[in-house]
Amino acid sequence: MNTQLAPLVDWVGYIDWTVREFHSYVTSRGSTYNAYLVRGASATALIDTVKAPYADKLIANVRELAGDKVDYLVCNHAEPDHSGAFPAVVQAFPSAEVVCTAKTKDALTRHYDTSSWRFRLVKEGETLDLGGKTLQFFETPMVHWPESMATWLAEDGILFSMDAFGQHYASAARFDDEADLDEVMQEAKKYYANIVLLYARPVAAALKKLGGLPIKVIAPSHGIIWRSRIPLILEAYSRWHVSQPSRKVVVFYSTMWSSTRRMAEAVAEGVASTGCPFKLFNLEFTTDTDLIPELMDAAGFAVGTPTLNMSLMPRMAAALTYVRGLKPAGKFGFTFGSFGWASKGAEEASRYLSEMQVEQISPPVTVRFAPTDEVLAKCRDLGRAMGERALQIQ
Ligand code: FEO
């Protein structure tokens, strides 16, 4: 496996082929925890670590290249998928200094017993000379935690970008020109939608700040390293940043006795009649992880749920809570669903849409028990209206 980013700059992380869950994110293709070793003429730095259970693998990778000579342990981000191995690494290389911002030190100290750690605090723009390899540190708040920073290796044009530009993607390949690019871009979009979307503005600010650097390699903390397709991922980030709507409508629903399913299918028929691309998801068979990237670049979405126990279906409540937290911007839509004796589900879903500032093109469309021809026609009409509006996007 090729792990070299540049002479004396190596990937030393861990490929997690089996992980399938990352704080509610379904990581169906696994992940990697990327750590990097930079060996200068006078000093060696390890940039980030891995999840705690894989500390031994990381330490073995480092020792294979540098023996016990590690002078600096850079911590770009205190989240435990990257900092979890720090206690073991500090123990393995006790003379090394932990290089981080004051905010990161505070976060590390709240996670671990750092009483024996030797900290070297750095500020925005500060440099660290390793001898022919110069590290420079840039704060990138909320990408993806308040304390996050990126590290720039000037001589080799490598940006260690932390979570930004990452993917939860396990692969034997380390670089974009060695991997299946379609899969990588699918996972990069999924990663952005699930992890970064809420922080789109801080990400854009970080891109603006770092965009002037002569970047040859972007080395994120998860997944594939970008070196041949950097314009592709930068262009994608600029689109995703604004949740840019495309000519697409998404219909997603929960159903109990198929009444709401029939309404959802009628909405989809209406969209289809306009020629607008659409996707139809029954949440019983769709994860939130897969749903949110579809909503991110849709023009609008319609949400169907029956009423259960005077509220909406629990699966729909979970999905809407997840979507509301990530706040896809600039969408339009409406809600619909069946009920038995009190109509509550579609109305409750509509409140979620209001909180997300979705422009609702209709009050909730509801029906008692089974949909009538008239209700199905109404669903088709609203689907058609959504499709026609989405097609107006240039
Ligand atoms: Fe991959 Fe925010 O940690």
Side-chain angles (χ1 to χ4, degrees):
M1 181 169 69
N2 175 22
T3 58
Q4 191 177 75
L5 284 70
L8 299 173
V9 183
D10 294 87
W11 177 91
V12 288
Y14 181 75
I15 305 169
D16 194 343
W17 293 96
T18 58
V19 65
R20 289 294 179 271
E21 198 274 340
F22 183 90
H23 56 51
S24 295
Y25 182 138
V26 179
T27 51
S28 49
R29 287 181 168 131
S31 192
T32 73
Y33 316 111
N34 294 342
Y36 301 96
L37 194 70
V38 181
R39 288 173 286 165
S42 55
T44 292
L46 174 65
I47 299 179
D48 295 311
T49 71
V50 298
K51 254 186 179 174
Y54 313 116
D56 288 352
K57 306 275 188 195
L58 168 68
I59 291 166
N61 289 344
V62 172
R63 285 209 166 112
E64 193 177 323
L65 293 170
D68 285 325
K69 187 189 156 15
V70 178
D71 305 280
Y72 301 109
L73 307 170
V74 176
C75 184
N76 281 319
H77 181 22
E79 192 161 13
D81 51 329
H82 308 296
S83 71
F86 253 90
V89 170
V90 170
Q91 201 169 27
F93 306 104
S95 62
E97 290 182 324
V98 176
V99 179
C100 64
T101 63
K103 274 190 201 162
T104 302
K105 180 186 174 187
D106 178 66
L108 289 171
T109 300
R110 291 170 191 277
H111 278 91
Y112 315 109
D113 175 4
T114 61
S115 52
S116 65
W117 297 17
R118 302 169 65 231
F119 281 100
R120 182 188 183 110
L121 300 187
V122 292
K123 292 192 174 133
E124 171 75 10
E126 204 168 307
T127 58
L128 182 61
D129 182 7
L130 307 178
K133 304 272 189 198
T134 310
L135 302 182
Q136 189 171 18
F137 307 104
F138 295 98
E139 294 185 30
T140 54
M142 300 316 296
V143 188
H144 125 255
W145 276 11
E147 87 308 349
S148 301
M149 72 175 187
T151 296
W152 168 243
L153 174 53
E155 288 81 355
D156 298 303
I158 300 174
L159 180 67
F160 300 99
S161 61
M162 198 11 66
D163 280 335
F165 309 112
Q167 330 93 48
H168 283 310
Y169 183 63
S171 166
R174 299 274 60 78
F175 296 96
D176 54 1
D177 44 38
E178 298 172 340
D180 180 327
L181 199 59
D182 286 342
E183 285 188 359
V184 174
M185 288 306 291
Q186 282 172 26
E187 294 302 326
K189 181 179 179 185
K190 196 186 294 183
Y191 187 91
Y192 186 99
N194 283 276
I195 301 281
V196 183
L197 184 58
L198 180 60
Y199 308 115
R201 286 184 193 285
V203 169
L207 287 179
K208 197 171 172 192
K209 176 158 72 172
L210 303 173
L213 299 172
I215 298 172
K216 293 184 191 159
V217 178
I218 296 176
S221 293
H222 296 287
I224 291 298
I225 298 163
W226 303 94
R227 66 179 179 189
S228 300
R229 307 303 300 267
I230 289 175
L232 179 73
I233 189 66
L234 288 179
E235 188 275 329
Y237 260 59
S238 68
R239 263 186 291 120
W240 299 335
H241 151 55
V242 287
S243 288
Q244 192 169 308
S246 63
R247 294 178 163 194
K248 180 174 87 172
V249 168
V250 173
V251 183
F252 62 99
Y253 66 97
S254 290
T255 194
M256 198 184 301
W257 294 109
S258 283
S259 293
T260 304
R261 174 185 62 75
R262 290 173 60 202
M263 295 171 81
E265 289 171 355
V267 176
E269 283 168 21
V271 181
S273 71
T274 67
C276 179
F278 70 95
K279 291 199 175 174
L280 177 65
F281 297 106
N282 179 341
L283 290 184
E284 191 178 342
F285 310 108
T286 307
T287 66
D288 299 340
T289 307
D290 287 327
L291 179 65
I292 189 71
E294 298 290 351
L295 300 183
M296 181 172 73
D297 62 3
F301 51 86
V303 179
T305 176
T307 296
L308 177 72
N309 300 332
M310 303 294 279
S311 187
L312 70 178
M313 289 284 274
R315 176 70 192 91
M316 179 57 79
L320 288 176
T321 300
Y322 193 78
V323 173
R324 181 181 59 187
L326 290 165
K327 291 188 171 61
K331 312 300 179 191
F332 59 87
F334 74 102
T335 67
F336 58 92
S338 70
F339 64 94
W341 42 96
S343 182
K344 299 288 183 184
E347 289 79 357
E348 182 68 24
S350 171
R351 280 194 280 280
Y352 276 89
L353 265 57
S354 297
E355 287 166 16
M356 286 183 243
Q357 298 179 325
V358 173
E359 180 196 336
Q360 295 186 62
I361 63 168
S362 164
V365 178
T366 63
V367 66
R368 189 166 184 203
F369 292 125
T372 59
D373 289 347
E374 188 183 1
V375 164
L376 292 175
K378 174 81 174 163
C379 289
R380 270 185 219 102
D381 285 348
L382 286 168
R384 190 176 305 115
M386 291 186 78
E388 285 168 353
R389 182 161 163 182
L391 287 175
Q392 288 170 16
I393 292 170
Q394 297 302 312

